Amino acid sequence: MSKKKTVYLAGPLFTHAELEYNRKLKDVLLNNGFSVFLPQEDAEDAAQEHEKQNQELIFIKCVEGLDASDLVVAVLDGSDVDSGTAWEAGYAYAKGKPVIGLRTDFRELSDGIVNLMVEMAIVALARNEKELLRIIEKYQ
């Protein structure tokens, strides 16, 4: 039996809706045979850590999570990609880890789906969870 691949789930985590969507997406990935690093849970990137101003610890845990992951799923919704998500995608790209974008948002830029630098760093772009699972299947 092969070891479960670890997905680093990058995405915005500043609203209740974003936090809930991240949890839903984590469950989808877990139910399909992946292990998942979710920063809002696994890096203690939650309100209590922000209140302690423990940003260095959160950053270190996120970088460790990225380093330990096999691939990254990056939620690219919004009028502009979340800056933290963009950084995580760029870091993963620099480390040679595949980054799969997920954009359920139907808004597009005039010259591309998302920011050019993010778009060029991803290996594939899914428009919904079902499409994401089809794409990510080849990484199991």
Side-chain angles (χ1 to χ4, degrees), residues 22-137:
N22 294 343
R23 284 186 207 99
K24 175 189 172 191
L25 200 50
K26 176 185 177 181
D27 289 344
V28 167
L29 293 167
L30 288 172
N31 291 335
N32 283 275
F34 291 93
S35 177
V36 180
F37 182 95
L38 182 59
Q40 71 196 49
E41 296 173 358
D42 300 315
E44 297 179 47
D45 194 358
Q48 64 189 32
E49 287 303 315
H50 283 293
E51 288 170 13
K52 293 179 194 171
Q53 296 296 306
N54 205 346
Q55 295 174 337
E56 183 178 8
L57 176 63
I58 293 167
F59 176 80
I60 289 168
K61 286 186 175 188
C62 287
V63 170
E64 290 171 351
L66 281 162
D67 287 340
S69 69
D70 297 297
L71 64 150
V72 172
V73 169
V75 178
L76 305 177
D77 287 340
S79 57
D80 195 22
V81 174
D82 171 71
S83 58
T85 302
W87 186 92
E88 290 160 326
Y91 182 86
Y93 175 83
K95 292 286 193 169
K97 294 176 187 280
V99 180
I100 301 167
L102 174 62
R103 183 165 176 87
T104 64
D105 194 329
F106 61 85
R107 296 174 285 186
E108 295 183 8
L109 300 176
S110 60
D111 57 349
I113 306 295
V114 295
N115 175 287
L116 167 70
M117 298 305 284
V118 174
E119 195 168 337
M120 293 295 105
I122 62 176
V123 296
L125 180 68
R127 291 305 201 144
N128 56 51
E129 294 87 7
K130 188 176 180 180
E131 192 175 351
L132 172 66
L133 291 175
R134 280 198 308 270
I135 293 167
I136 203 171
E137 191 175 75

